[in-house]
Amino acid sequence: MKRIAILLFAALLLAACQPTPEVDAVKQKDTNVLIDTVLSEQTQTEADNPPAPVKAQFPERFSAEFYTSANNVHVTVDAPIRVMTDGTLPLVRVERMKLTDEQRVALAKRLLDADGLYVWSYRMTREDLEREIANLLQEPTPEQKAEWLKEDPENTEELWNENMERRKEDLAALQEQYRSLNDGTVLPYPAWDGSFDPDAVHGYRHIVSDPYASGTDQRMSDQVEIGPARIDTPVRFTAANPDEDRNGVYWASFFDCKGDGDMGAERILPERYGEVHEGASISAKEAAEIALSYLDGFGTFGVADIYWSNNAPNGGNDAFIAKTWAYSVHLTPTFCGAGMPYCNWFVQENDPVTNVTDMWQYSHVSAVVTGDGKLLAFDWTGALKETEVLSETTPLLPFTEIQSIFEQQINREFAYEEMRDATLTVSDVQLGLFRIREKNDMEHGLLTPVWYFRGTLFPSDNSAWAGISQRYNNSHPLLIINAIDGTIINAYTGY
């Protein structure tokens, strides 16, 4: 696995250093220019004669077959075009959305199916408590204090006194816990009001519905995890898992990280959502309805994908062993009736002033629902707030031009020697909204129509990568083309 990871990382580096073709498909990426392009084409004639729905503007399938001129990569495309709107595609300004305390409480109660919420924390055994109490009862010596004051110029007498007061508070709390264990009772967890430290950068709050839930293992209880605003995860839910040896772990990422065919996972075609999958008693459509019910009142969402997937990890002692199968439902927000392709990647950028690395997830929800309708996991990341609809109808490039840009860019991106004589199969083509941004802006974005391609690369038998297929899936899209002006969008930079 380490070799695979190194090779895939090398592929990304090579892709970032591609040779520039004679005619570069990557145009100026100024969102203001894009907005002007759209607005300038909205003439009165178009207002009086609105364009046909997007589905009527394009063929039902994207079909192509060619060899790249750079390294003879055989490219085949024969996939239905999934248009993610029944009407037109808009242009919408958005910004990061942070849930309020009240919203977090409402969502957590819904996921836990409970009225009371409590902050889980690790509870120590009597032996642990005795050891910690003994340590705190040993006052630091004058020599230890002097050494501490010398360690750092910021270590002051005032700070030392603050630490000593905090030490006394910790000791009192541990002693109270110890007394509760002595008389056979356990102190309840504190109630949670939905708050989270707004200045926190790392760490999660683990929320449970039982104030006396097991204090030694989080897996013993259903739990909701709330992370700092900068982590960009409004909520993460995992069901109780008391028997890990039999059932494995329930984190959504274990089910979500698989593409079609990975470790037996299967992408269910939209026309088959109404069918009950083998091993299940409810249909994919019913599983999606269960997932959507938790988001009622938090915006409008649609189904981007549904997989019949499993929680087999790709490393460790249980690598590639599937222990639990379920529907993995991929949801994305909709704006003006238009949906978004599912992308579980994120943009990462370093602030040159503060030297702090910021991250902005692409908006999506991953919900895992068992074949009999039980929610196992629910991750919502990259929540978005609509701030302005710039246009409800955007002019889109003709299909022939998209085909030309696609071929040109594939030739450009697979121009390095390791790809010679490889085979690239494009298995999924979507036309929907995607978030772009300006450089150095990690708060505001623009939802624009794009062509979103996914597929698999099969290296030739003579390549150093022989036998290692590279999937361009939910985390690594093959290609994203701006449907308005032909700009190539990089999911890793966000523009």
Side-chain angles (χ1 to χ4, degrees), residues 92-109:
V92 182
R93 290 190 194 273
V94 292
E95 65 182 24
R96 285 186 193 244
M97 184 177 80
K98 302 174 182 63
L99 299 188
T100 64
D101 291 355
E102 292 75 18
Q103 287 175 318
R104 283 194 287 262
V105 166
L107 187 54
K109 285 183 176 180

Side-chain angles (χ1 to χ4, degrees), residues 297-363:
F298 288 91
T300 307
F301 294 79
V303 177
D305 291 298
I306 304 178
Y307 286 77
W308 181 250
S309 188
N310 60 72
N311 61 340
N314 59 8
N317 296 331
D318 292 332
F320 311 115
I321 299 175
K323 296 184 177 181
T324 301
W325 287 84
Y327 289 110
S328 179
V329 182
H330 295 171
L331 307 175
T332 53
T334 60
F335 296 86
C336 300
M340 309 169 70
Y342 185 92
C343 182
N344 64 2
W345 194 244
F346 55 86
V347 172
Q348 187 168 294
E349 187 171 83
N350 187 67
D351 188 321
V353 178
T354 63
N355 200 32
V356 173
T357 299
D358 197 5
M359 181 175 69
W360 194 5
Q361 301 262 11
Y362 289 105
S363 188

